Amino acid sequence: MLSGEGLKAKVFRGGAWLATGSVAEQTVRFARSMLLARLLAPEAFGTMAVIISASSAIHTITDMGVKEALIQNPRGTEPHYMGAAWWLALGRALSLSSLLFLLAPWMARFYGNAELTPLLRVATLGVVLDGAFSSRAYIAIKEMKFSKWAAINHGGGILGIVMTVVLSFFLRDVWALVLGVCAESASRCALSFIFCPYFPSLSWDTEAFRDLLKFSKGLFGLSFLNLIFARTDIFVLAKLYPAAALGLYSMAIYLAQTPVAYIMNLLGQTMLPTFSQIQNDHPRINRVLLHVTALLVFLGVPALVFVFFCGHSLLTIVFGSRYSAATSALIATCAVALVNLLNAQLTTVFYAKGRPQLHRTCVLIMALMMMALIYPFAKWFGLAGGQLACLVSVIVGYVFQLVRIHGLTGLSLPRYGKSFPVAAAISIGVVAVCLSTKLSPALERPVPTIVAGVLGCLLAYGVSAAVLFHNGRRVLT
């Protein structure tokens, strides 16, 4: 399975490299967050959330999907295709960073925070560095040479995280976070040329340019719609609540997004080239999709139950007692994350078949629902309303995409849904173990509560493993 040259062996080897690198990065990132939560005030994280959201807004308006286009295109390894992709990415980065630089004073006035102007302008440096990334690094993904990509992506992340921690001891404010983000972009850019040397040609190939833009047409507006769905809560909550409250909220959702980012990156970087290589074999695509979905459901449902019962204790131990006020937001974020993970696998199939436009209608629906729900939900449910609006929106989009994938690959929806009730039944054990902590006041303290929840999850995962490996045919066929 690991030593062969078949698709499955490449996927497993690649997954091992990416998993190792991602675990290392997310572990360091998690430790950094625990440390910074005690060094910096919540207001710093609230301000940083606005900066990241604003940068993401500009970043996604003109997203061309250069990486995805090179991976998906059969001719993506040709030098003139790589050159066209590099110039497209750099030109886009320079344009949007200039736009962010000019809009910075307006953003600062809108939120009544003059400090946002220099912060946003410094953040544009990270945008430019991301655009200068070596095109050959994307080819490493296409060719499933994931060891190089892991070293670039996760190695650069770790270097940037270390720089953030060092800066936080000297700059006890949001500047440490902003400069740290720029350091991450600089590290990844430098490593991309170290591990995947590339010098872009000064010539311009019109055919390659047109091919890449053909794929990009399907992405037009998609990233911006994704941004509306993913960042509207920050923009609205920043206007309704103080920066300190937004800081509690952003750190709570970060706690959930850390492991989800690990899984999402791992699957995204392995499944896109996998589905691309079997893009015309619909039965095989469906089999892979069913197995990946079942695995995510069996992992995710018990974890969601665990957070429901232990979220308050988790926030107290990880970030401190004041962050436990955002427990409801953490629970809602975990539910959003699970549905997003499942939905992302459907999206990957669309991308692998060179039809990203099929995903655009789904994102449009989610963005419109998010814009309609965010303000009333934020008023009715407080900070948690931001994630509750996300949850409703992503569920509707997920159901819509299931219908689309059924029409595209012939996926059997009854077979697809068989793992959900099984995972729910298995998770009853987690509920029982967590409820047992209510029997004694001593067990209701944070550490015993988390220990009980972890034991419940381990029990559920043991049963899940038995179902997946011993009775897989009855569950999935």
Side-chain angles (χ1 to χ4, degrees), residues 86 90 125-135 137-138 149 151-153 155-157 159 181-198:
W86 192 86
L90 181 63
L125 177 60
V127 177
V128 175
L129 290 168
D130 289 338
F133 211 83
S134 170
S135 293
Y138 301 140
W149 180 254
I152 295 168
N153 190 38
L159 290 174
V181 169
C182 292
E184 284 192 41
S185 296
S187 299
R188 288 193 174 102
C189 183
L191 290 177
S192 73
F193 286 94
I194 293 173
F195 287 97
C196 300
Y198 174 72

Side-chain angles (χ1 to χ4, degrees), residues 6 22 36 122 200 212 302 322 358 364 380 389 467:
S22 189
L36 296 186
V122 170
L212 293 175
R322 58 183 173 179
L358 295 179
L364 175 61
W380 296 339
V467 172

Side-chain angles (χ1 to χ4, degrees), residues 41 220 424 442:
F220 181 76

Side-chain angles (χ1 to χ4, degrees), residues 304 330-340 391 394-395:
L304 182 58
L330 172 64
I331 297 171
T333 303
C334 291
V336 172
L338 177 57
V339 181
N340 256 334
L391 180 59
V394 75
I395 288 175

Side-chain angles (χ1 to χ4, degrees), residues 237-281:
L237 293 176
K239 195 67 177 174
L240 293 177
Y241 295 96
L246 183 62
L248 300 179
Y249 172 86
S250 62
M251 291 299 285
I253 64 176
Y254 170 79
L255 182 61
Q257 290 171 350
T258 297
V260 172
Y262 161 70
I263 299 173
M264 189 81 79
N265 289 333
L266 177 63
L267 289 175
Q269 293 165 14
T270 55
M271 299 314 298
L272 179 57
T274 299
F275 283 131
S276 294
Q277 293 195 23
I278 59 174
Q279 57 185 269
N280 297 317
D281 189 346

